[in-house]
Amino acid sequence: MPAIPLALSKTKQDQHFQREVILDQAAWRCPLLLIVMLGASGRVYGLGELSLWFDECFCWKMSTYPLSEQWERAAGDNHPPLFYFFLKLWTLLMGHSPAAVRLFSVFAGIVTILGAFLLVREIETDVFQCSKNDARSIKPALFAAVLIALSPFQIEWAQTVRMYALGAALSVWSTWALLRALTAPVPRIRDWILYALLAAGLIYTHYFGFFILAAHGIYGGFRILRVLKDRRKTSSEKKKLILLAFLAVCLVGFLWFPWNNEFLLQRQRGLEQKWGRPQGLDYFTRSVSEMFGLMWNPASAEMARARIVTILFLFLTLAAFILGRKSERLLGLIVITSFGFALLLGSGSKSLIASWYFLFAHVFFLCAISVLLFRIPSRWFSRIILSVVLIGAGWQFTQQLYWRASRINDPSFQAAVNYVEALRKNGEIIFVNGPRDYVAVSPYLPDCKSMYVLSDEWDFVFGTGTAVVERQKHLTPASVSELNESRAWIIFATNKSMNPAGVAMPKDWIDVTEERFNDWRYGQIVVRQYEHIRTADNAIEQQSQL
């Protein structure tokens, strides 16, 4: 008889424990949901109202090709193909409108917020050897999620049809998977397989993923050495850990092997081309400051502030690495290796410094800052600093929304093409001055069959849209003079980065009208209508051909 009350008492204890676990989880799940909703709202604002720019148009064009063809066309560009594969599958479900294609990057940005929370929680759980519902691991994890949700830099690229938001998500999740694999009480094959798949996906998304994997290798190597020296671990556990880590590395290499030749060809073409980004301390400083939303329109007067931001960034990165405990150091290590390898590899050839290339490292920097802020011993001082950082992040968030709202008013390529289509008769040719403009016009033109690139020769820089524009779309001024056309249109951007300004029409084509449309990135989009003035010699030649 006494056994029955004892069993009932144990059941009540279990039920009470389960209720406490549910309450503990609700204590962080509700704030995390609000953070994700806040981050999503900033990322969907004005999503379909802003015209696609060249890089986005290139990705849009890639998504129109079959999966079997994307591999070959991606090899003709300067990026790996995984993002284009995912975007193709996404557009099959969501369509090809600007909002639809951008929504994939928004999704990746939201996944990055969640991944940052899980990563910081995993790190602090490892540091304190506590429950994953412990406040010591939850608070810095939530703060990291807030910083990423509000970051203008993260928002900007989560609204852009490029591979950077996906790369940031894979960077965070692969790091989280690595920590789970290394900190598991017993090595599990599923953890290492998950890490290998995410790591391979990362380098198939962007080549800067190799810098992240380099940090993984350095950290993982030291962590495994510590396990080998741990006398509490059995020899079988140590052997299993080494074997699984080795198999994960082999799996990443096996998955990468099919693309390796294309990667080497892309690298060789990149080294041979004349075009390159500026090098030097000032450009590095500007790139770092752009990561924190301080130099949207860089000017020399702002360089002093940019240098201060860069010095502070370097100081905090080193502090995160030096003062970090156990797996906390991995965050600073990833930032250091990302910038270090980029500077080292780019110093002797082509510069690899551009702010958006460091979107991945930026996530880890914000995570490292969150961990550091919760290391402040004084509680009241810690609360003041956290409040100041949070207010600053909120202010930058609102500034990002205002900045995007101001750009929505610029009509850009979409308005230019709509203007041409309203006046153009069936079959009238449209000329652009290079693959960049061709790609930028493509999403808004119902049919690209009558659009051509007009230039003296096909000498365009590798990586400027040539992977999706066929050579058959190239015409020279001499061949245009021989066309039996009475009218034609040209569309080009005034910004010099889009190719030499203007389209060199032959002398027997006369400009009759011109319209200009403002663009936030390319200055102005110029539309001109030309009429073909046939000379007597041309008329006699055409009659003889008839």
Side-chain angles (χ1 to χ4, degrees):
M1 294 295 295
I4 296 176
L6 184 62
L8 290 174
S9 177
K10 187 176 181 180
T11 303
K12 289 182 179 179
Q13 290 177 357
D14 292 341
Q15 291 176 348
H16 179 70
F17 176 75
Q18 291 176 358
R19 284 197 297 269
E20 286 186 343
V21 171
I22 292 173
L23 290 174
D24 288 341
Q25 292 178 347
W28 60 262
R29 286 183 176 177
C30 291
L32 180 61
L33 178 60
L34 293 175
I35 292 170
V36 170
M37 292 174 63
L38 177 63
S41 66
R43 285 157 174 77
V44 299
Y45 175 70
L47 197 64
E49 299 177 36
L50 192 66
S51 291
L52 299 172
W53 58 287
F54 163 71
D55 284 11
E56 292 183 294
C57 292
F58 180 86
C59 294
W60 174 90
K61 187 68 175 177
M62 286 289 291
S63 71
T64 63
Y65 296 111
L67 291 173
S68 58
E69 190 177 344
Q70 284 187 335
W71 182 279
E72 180 181 352
R73 289 189 177 273
D77 189 46
N78 49 14
H79 291 291
L82 186 62
F83 174 75
Y84 305 128
F85 292 166
F86 283 160
L87 187 62
K88 174 65 177 182
L89 298 176
W90 181 270
T91 55
L92 291 176
L93 296 174
M94 306 297 293
H96 285 86
S97 68
V101 292
R102 283 177 174 148
L103 201 58
F104 178 67
S105 293
V106 171
F107 172 74
I110 294 172
V111 171
T112 302
I113 298 172
L114 293 172
F117 170 83
L118 294 177
L119 174 61
V120 174
R121 187 182 70 166
E122 193 74 30
I123 289 174
E124 296 301 86
T125 300
D126 176 51
V127 169
F128 294 107
Q129 294 297 302
C130 61
S131 166
K132 292 185 178 180
N133 292 325
D134 193 292
R136 290 173 294 178
S137 62
I138 293 298
K139 287 182 179 180
L142 287 174
F143 199 79
V146 169
L147 292 184
I148 294 169
L150 297 178
S151 168
F153 190 54
Q154 295 293 326
I155 292 173
E156 176 67 16
W157 291 102
Q159 293 181 310
T160 305
V161 192
R162 293 295 283 167
M163 62 287 299
Y164 306 112
L166 176 62
L170 289 172
S171 298
V172 172
W173 282 89
S174 63
T175 306
W176 169 81
L178 176 65
L179 283 176
R180 278 179 58 89
L182 290 170
T183 59
V186 179
R188 296 175 296 194
I189 189 171
R190 67 173 182 268
D191 291 337
W192 286 99
I193 290 177
L194 175 62
Y195 168 70
L197 293 176
L198 291 171
L202 173 59
I203 56 179
Y204 263 102
T205 300
H206 197 276
Y207 296 132
F208 267 49
F210 280 110
F211 304 156
I212 306 293
L213 298 193
H216 288 177
I218 295 171
Y219 173 79
F222 278 103
R223 188 78 184 230
I224 291 173
L225 286 176
R226 286 181 54 190
V227 172
L228 294 178
K229 295 179 181 179
D230 190 350
R231 295 182 178 180
R232 294 171 297 178
K233 298 290 184 179
T234 64
S235 59
S236 61
E237 289 177 338
K238 295 177 182 178
K239 290 179 181 178
K240 187 176 182 180
L241 178 61
I242 295 174
L243 177 61
L244 291 179
F246 177 73
L247 290 177
V249 172
C250 292
L251 181 56
V252 173
F254 174 77
L255 294 173
W256 174 253
F257 181 75
W259 183 255
N260 190 59
N261 287 338
E262 280 72 13
F263 162 67
L264 295 176
L265 289 173
Q266 287 180 339
R267 180 179 179 276
Q268 185 61 33
R269 287 197 296 263
L271 293 173
E272 292 174 353
Q273 70 183 18
K274 298 179 181 179
W275 177 87
R277 290 187 175 84
Q279 299 198 36
L281 184 60
D282 283 348
Y283 192 75
F284 171 77
T285 300
R286 196 180 79 181
S287 297
V288 171
S289 62
E290 284 177 351
M291 293 167 54
F292 301 97
L294 298 178
M295 291 189 69
W296 297 113
N297 296 300
S300 58
E302 297 177 343
M303 285 306 298
R305 184 174 62 175
R307 290 190 180 99
I308 295 174
V309 171
T310 303
I311 293 171
L312 185 62
F313 166 77
L314 295 174
F315 172 78
L316 292 175
T317 299
L318 291 174
F321 179 71
I322 296 172
L323 301 178
R325 300 161 296 187
K326 296 176 69 174
S327 50
E328 289 177 351
R329 291 185 174 181
L330 177 58
L331 299 173
L333 179 63
I334 290 176
V335 180
I336 292 171
T337 55
S338 296
F339 279 90
F341 278 113
L343 289 169
L344 179 64
L345 296 177
S347 60
S349 54
K350 296 289 184 179
S351 175
L352 299 178
I353 300 299
S355 59
W356 51 92
Y357 289 168
F358 299 105
L359 189 75
F360 317 159
H362 182 255
V363 174
F364 294 98
F365 176 79
L366 295 180
C367 291
I369 292 300
S370 301
V371 171
L372 275 178
L373 292 177
F374 280 88
R375 291 279 305 278
I376 299 175
S378 174
R379 179 174 296 181
W380 68 268
F381 185 63
S382 175
R383 289 178 178 176
I384 291 175
I385 297 299
L386 288 170
S387 299
V388 170
V389 172
L390 191 60
I391 292 171
W395 179 81
Q396 281 202 324
F397 176 75
T398 58
Q399 292 301 303
Q400 166 68 13
L401 298 183
Y402 286 134
W403 185 63
R404 191 165 185 85
S406 66
R407 292 188 299 171
I408 291 175
N409 297 325
D410 292 333
S412 193
F413 275 104
Q414 183 174 5
V417 174
N418 291 340
Y419 170 79
V420 171
E421 286 298 288
L423 301 176
R424 187 169 71 112
K425 297 180 180 179
N426 293 334
E428 287 184 347
I429 295 177
I430 297 176
F431 294 114
V432 294
N433 66 350
R436 278 181 175 267
D437 283 337
Y438 187 99
V439 171
V441 171
S442 296
Y444 305 110
L445 196 63
D447 188 357
C448 295
K449 292 180 179 179
S450 57
M451 181 166 59
Y452 295 89
V453 174
L454 180 59
S455 64
D456 292 327
E457 56 183 342
W458 186 274
D459 58 348
F460 300 103
V461 175
F462 160 72
T464 56
T466 53
V468 295
V469 182
E470 290 78 9
R471 288 291 187 93
Q472 293 81 354
K473 285 293 185 177
H474 175 236
L475 294 178
T476 63
S479 62
V480 171
S481 295
E482 299 174 359
L483 293 176
N484 187 23
E485 300 287 340
S486 59
R487 290 203 313 176
W489 299 81
I490 66 167
I491 303 176
F492 66 92
T494 58
N495 189 306
K496 63 181 181 180
S497 69
M498 291 293 285
N499 299 305
V503 177
M505 292 291 285
K507 294 182 180 180
D508 54 347
W509 286 82
I510 298 178
D511 177 13
V512 293
T513 61
E514 178 179 296
E515 290 289 335
R516 291 175 177 258
F517 302 86
N518 292 330
D519 183 89
W520 68 275
R521 183 179 289 268
Y522 300 126
Q524 289 185 319
I525 312 303
V526 180
V527 175
R528 290 175 183 163
Q529 181 186 353
Y530 278 81
E531 290 186 357
H532 196 181
I533 307 300
R534 293 182 176 84
T535 63
D537 293 337
N538 286 340
I540 294 173
E541 182 179 352
Q542 291 175 5
Q543 289 179 1
S544 63
Q545 291 177 355
L546 295 175

